[in-house]
Each structure stands twice: as C-alpha cells, then as structure tokens.
Amino acid sequence: MTNEQTIYPGSRATQILAVALTPAVGVIGVMFMMLEEFVVLERIVLGGGVLVASIVGTPLAVLALVRNRPELVLDAEGLLVPPARKIRWHEVAAVRLRKSGPSNAVEIILHERARRETKRSPLQRAVHSGWSTVGDRKAMTLSPTRLHPYSPEAVVIEMLHYHPSLHVAAPETR
C-alpha cells in the first residue's frame, strides 16, 4: 500500500481573522452591557454571554492558529477530519454535495455501525460539533470555508481517486 496522501490545509487567513475578531466580539459584549436602553438582566445575560463566548473563543482561535492542523487528509485507508478519529472508507455510506450559501459543502455520511463509534465526550462535542444526523445516520459537513481555496467538487473527485467504489449521492439542495 502506498503512503500517498492528499492534505487540505486549514485556511491561514480564516484562522487569523478568527484570532482578530473573537476579542472584538468580547468588546461588543462589554459595550452592550453598558447600554442603558435595556433592562439590567438583558444586558447581563446577552452582553455577558457574548463576553464569555469571546473569552472561550479567543484561546481556541489562537490554538487553532498555532496548531495549524489540516482540515482534511485523504489516503488509501480513509479520511481524517481533525479532531475526529480517522474514518475508514468502508465506514462511509456516501458523500454528497449540499448547498451551503452560494456554494456547496461536502457531506460525509457514515454507516450505522460507524456512527456509534464516533461518539465523543460532552466537552469534545461542545468544542467541535461538526457531526449532524441524516436520517438515522451520522454525517460530517465540510463547509466551503473549511475547504477554501479548494472546491468541494474537486474534493469529492479526489475522494474517488482513493476509493473508486465510493457512493456519491445526489446533491442535496435546501
């Protein structure tokens, strides 16, 4: 078996933007708490919630920038979408393109057995909740932002390069 891999790196521009904007959101939260047009409870709940999100989000954004992990790694064995475990090709029921704003996202749908194996701790789910459900199956959606500058269509074609018998479902439009 060959060691060939296709690595889709994280967008440095998106990571830098997240590091810059997350503290700015905290400043907006503080400013909201100082507004007198709202009831004190509303200012504390809404402004405080935004501030807490910023306090938690800023270190996570910096950590993502420092770690510089790829968004997706494909090889002959399967695919890796950090921080999830490696998913073997036989665990993938299908991939499909799904409308996500003006472009498409890649949706990876797992078989039922693989779905049970992807369970995570509550902390892991809170930090990175990329999994959703499609019917009774688990699915991971790779947004165009995560794949930028690569097109979702090119990513699906590359998946077929590694696993030619991969089922590509009809695109979903929402």
Side-chain angles (χ1 to χ4, degrees):
M1 189 171 284
T2 179
N3 290 333
E4 179 186 353
Q5 288 184 327
T6 302
I7 299 172
Y8 294 91
S11 169
R12 298 299 282 174
T14 303
Q15 293 169 341
I16 291 168
L17 190 62
V19 169
L21 291 180
T22 310
V25 168
V27 171
I28 292 169
V30 169
M31 290 172 53
F32 191 87
M33 287 172 37
M34 296 187 321
L35 289 175
E36 294 184 13
E37 286 111 27
F38 296 98
V39 178
V40 174
L41 183 61
E42 289 175 337
R43 288 189 287 173
I44 292 171
V45 170
L46 294 175
V50 170
L51 182 61
V52 167
S54 174
I55 290 169
V56 171
T58 300
L60 290 175
V62 170
L63 186 63
L65 183 64
V66 171
R67 278 189 178 167
N68 195 27
R69 286 195 291 202
E71 289 293 336
L72 175 65
V73 178
L74 303 175
D75 64 21
E77 294 176 4
L79 56 106
L80 174 65
V81 184
R85 67 169 180 79
K86 185 162 193 169
I87 299 167
R88 309 283 180 209
W89 289 119
H90 71 272
E91 297 174 281
V92 178
V95 295
R96 71 174 166 197
L97 296 174
R98 186 173 57 105
K99 198 71 176 158
S100 177
S103 60
N104 290 320
V106 177
E107 191 169 55
I108 303 161
I109 305 167
L110 301 182
H111 290 291
E112 176 63 27
R113 186 178 64 75
R115 180 178 99 84
R116 287 193 299 271
E117 295 171 4
T118 59
K119 291 184 178 172
R120 300 164 149 188
S121 73
L123 177 61
Q124 288 173 317
R125 283 193 303 273
V127 171
H128 183 79
S129 59
W131 292 102
S132 60
T133 44
V134 175
D136 63 342
R137 296 182 177 169
K138 207 73 157 164
M140 164 70 74
T141 301
L142 300 173
S143 69
T145 309
R146 288 183 74 178
L147 297 172
H148 180 77
Y150 308 97
S151 77
E153 293 80 3
V155 171
V156 171
I157 290 169
E158 190 66 15
M159 287 177 174
L160 288 168
H161 165 76
Y162 287 105
H163 192 67
S165 62
L166 182 66
H167 175 67
V168 179
E172 180 184 282
T173 56
R174 286 188 181 181

